[in-house]
Amino acid sequence: MLGSRIQCALALVLASIATSGVQAWPHGQSQCKQLATRKEWGSLTSGERIAYIDAVKCMQQKPSNFAPGVVPGAKSRFDDFSAVHINQTTGIHLDGVFLSWHRNFLQLWETALREECGYPGYQPYWNWPLWDDDLAASPLFDGSETSLGGDGYYDGSFTEYIVGTNSDGSLQTLPRGTGGGCMKDGPFVNMTINMGPFAFGLVYTGLPSNWTDYAPHCVQRDLNNAVAAKTNQTYVDAALATATINDFQNALSASGTTLGLHGAGHFCTGAGMQDFFASPSDPAFFLHHGQVDRIWQMWQSLDEGARTYGNNALFGTSTIFDANNTAPVSLDEEMNWGILGKPRKIAEMMQVGLHGFCYEYQ
Ligand SMILES: *[C@@H]1O[C@H](CO)[C@@H](O)[C@H](O)[C@H]1NC(C)=O
Ligand SMILES: *[C@@H]1O[C@H](CO)[C@@H](O)[C@H](O)[C@H]1NC(C)=O
Ligand SMILES: *[C@@H]1O[C@H](CO)[C@@H](O)[C@H](O)[C@H]1NC(C)=O
Ligand SMILES: *[C@@H]1O[C@H](CO)[C@@H](O)[C@H](O)[C@H]1NC(C)=O
Ligand SMILES: *[C@@H]1O[C@H](CO)[C@@H](O)[C@H](O)[C@H]1NC(C)=O
Ligand SMILES: [Cu+2]
């Protein structure tokens, strides 16, 4: 995600409500009556995995909900999720709304799988440390019919990933992986996506007007254990041990070769997932973000009052790199998910178990 190959003041009243243990923002009746269980991919039965894969394929068959001509590249409901993410990329990453925006994005995806494609389960997640030393042998990427597709065909046209430039002009690089081309096996073999690819540099210039064009190409995979090593348990523990939301966000996403947990998960899977804009067009995206959401929820639960509606809940603006052309985010700020769902206030995304976020992570 960090590149292509080149690459408040919070209202005291809210804080006191939260610290007094009353989960009441903004209406007490929003508490979930029942919680669904989101499970790790490897702990699903074969049948459960196939049900998820079939639902993803169903989303790829269903026609887009965009009005004709608005996003010619969005052919399917699956594409709709990419299109909305592409369009909002510079507002929802490396800033104060990253976690909350993606929490609801995932929820909207899970709901679409269930309501539009009859999926009986809940959103699975990818627990990175279980598989960081051998992605190709993991149930996620082993290329079997119960995986999310395997590695890419080997593409020898590049030797490393350039992820940044040092102040002296030297390049910051990461080793390449073992594939690089289209997915060579599994249920999404040679899978084609309809928009992009987009270069990371577009975050500085904005999207070209032709971003909506139909541009079919395959999803590229490049499984990379050297990068996946940056998602090991030591890094997860370090993220969970951070004291501030700013430090927690930095443990997820960082510049250059550091990547962070979220960055490394995107980077260890290949060009599809590295596309900062169009990464939801690799089915692995939703499992990766399941884990991001899970880790955030775990971190929040360690000091719930402060980390949901209190003074350690939000840090940053709603502009990429926290540029100051938008104000620091607040619980009252409204975000949107385009055609995917209705606009909601950040406050509604702050705590799992409230406001329709009725799930727990196993
Ligand atoms: C892209 O985002 C802008 C701002 O949120 C919105 O006005 C526009 O309708 C979106 N375009 C599409 C195609 O969703
Ligand atoms: C995938 O594409 C490659 C390259 O075009 C081709 O050789 C291979 O047969 C395709 N595989 C499937 C299952 O379609
Ligand atoms: C958009 O236009 C640029 C050049 O202006 C071109 O390089 C790119 O391939 C185009 N993208 C699509 C999806 O057509
Ligand atoms: C994770 O990787 C770091 C850096 O290579 C290493 O120091 C640490 O021991 C690893 N942790 C585990 C649990 O493998
Ligand atoms: C923010 O705005 C001020 C002027 O209002 C400007 O000087 C500064 O460079 C901007 N950027 C940051 C990161 O403060
Ligand atoms: Cu994203």
Side-chain angles (χ1 to χ4, degrees):
M1 60 118 241
L2 286 174
S4 64
R5 277 173 205 175
I6 291 294
Q7 294 244 336
C8 89
L10 295 169
L12 285 173
V13 59
L14 291 178
S16 60
I17 287 172
T19 46
S20 68
V22 183
Q23 301 174 333
W25 208 101
H27 303 294
Q29 72 271 19
S30 68
Q31 191 122 17
C32 298
K33 292 194 173 64
Q34 270 179 293
L35 299 181
T37 302
R38 290 185 175 177
K39 299 177 185 169
E40 214 282 329
W41 185 254
S43 71
L44 297 178
T45 64
S46 298
E48 288 171 332
R49 285 184 218 161
I50 287 168
Y52 184 80
I53 291 161
D54 286 349
V56 175
K57 289 184 169 178
C58 162
M59 290 290 282
Q60 293 173 336
Q61 299 301 320
K62 289 220 173 236
S64 166
N65 278 354
F66 279 107
V70 174
V71 185
K75 299 294 185 198
S76 69
R77 286 291 287 147
F78 183 82
D79 294 342
D80 286 355
F81 281 79
S82 291
V84 167
H85 187 275
I86 292 165
N87 187 35
Q88 296 199 26
T89 290
T90 57
I92 56 173
H93 296 107
L94 303 170
D95 64 16
V97 303
F98 168 66
L99 291 164
S100 45
W101 192 91
H102 285 81
R103 175 167 280 170
N104 195 42
F105 188 63
L106 212 60
Q107 173 89 352
L108 291 164
W109 166 254
E110 182 189 71
T111 303
L113 292 178
R114 291 175 57 79
E115 293 184 355
E116 299 175 41
C117 285
Y119 173 55
Y122 296 93
Q123 181 59 41
Y125 65 95
W126 162 14
N127 190 1
W128 317 302
L130 293 178
W131 323 109
D132 70 84
D133 58 346
D134 197 354
L135 290 173
S138 75
L140 285 147
F141 301 118
D142 67 6
S144 68
E145 285 308 312
T146 58
S147 73
L148 298 173
D151 206 353
Y153 287 99
Y154 184 72
D155 175 351
S157 69
F158 63 105
T159 54
E160 59 191 7
Y161 291 108
I162 297 165
V163 292
T165 311
N166 296 309
S167 49
D168 65 359
S170 61
L171 297 175
Q172 297 172 342
T173 63
L174 290 169
R176 58 156 295 156
T178 48
C182 307
M183 265 186 263
K184 66 181 178 190
D185 45 25
F188 301 107
V189 60
N190 286 342
M191 182 187 140
T192 296
I193 59 174
N194 297 326
M195 284 168 285
F198 300 98
F200 180 77
L202 294 172
V203 301
Y204 304 108
T205 59
L207 285 166
S209 58
N210 67 354
W211 75 265
T212 59
D213 285 3
Y214 179 51
H217 60 285
C218 73
V219 176
Q220 292 164 305
R221 282 268 175 85
D222 189 27
L223 298 182
N224 190 326
N225 294 334
V227 175
K230 293 171 183 281
T231 65
N232 77 25
Q233 192 64 47
T234 305
Y235 292 101
V236 171
D237 291 344
L240 292 173
T242 56
T244 67
I245 181 65
N246 188 23
D247 287 348
F248 179 71
Q249 290 178 172
N250 287 336
L252 290 176
S253 304
S255 61
T257 56
T258 305
L259 295 179
L261 288 161
H262 163 245
H266 276 279
F267 232 91
C268 69
T269 23
M273 279 281 275
Q274 288 162 18
D275 189 314
F276 201 65
F277 294 82
S279 50
S281 41
D282 183 322
F285 174 94
F286 298 96
L287 283 86
H288 176 49
H289 272 274
Q291 168 80 343
V292 170
D293 188 61
R294 173 174 174 259
I295 298 286
W296 181 31
Q297 194 269 329
M298 289 168 80
W299 182 83
Q300 289 186 301
S301 69
L302 295 171
D303 186 4
E304 202 158 82
R307 294 178 183 186
T308 52
Y309 306 110
N311 60 8
N312 204 10
L314 293 171
F315 178 88
T317 70
S318 57
T319 305
I320 194 163
F321 309 125
D322 291 325
N324 65 4
N325 46 346
T326 49
V329 293
S330 72
L331 293 168
D332 279 320
E333 186 169 328
E334 204 169 70
M335 294 189 283
N336 83 83
W337 290 265
I339 58 154
L340 302 175
K342 64 181 197 316
R344 299 180 75 168
K345 287 185 172 180
I346 290 177
E348 296 184 29
M349 259 67 62
M350 292 307 290
Q351 191 167 2
V352 170
L354 297 181
H355 301 288
F357 294 90
C358 299
Y359 57 82
E360 59 192 350
Y361 288 100
Q362 190 177 65

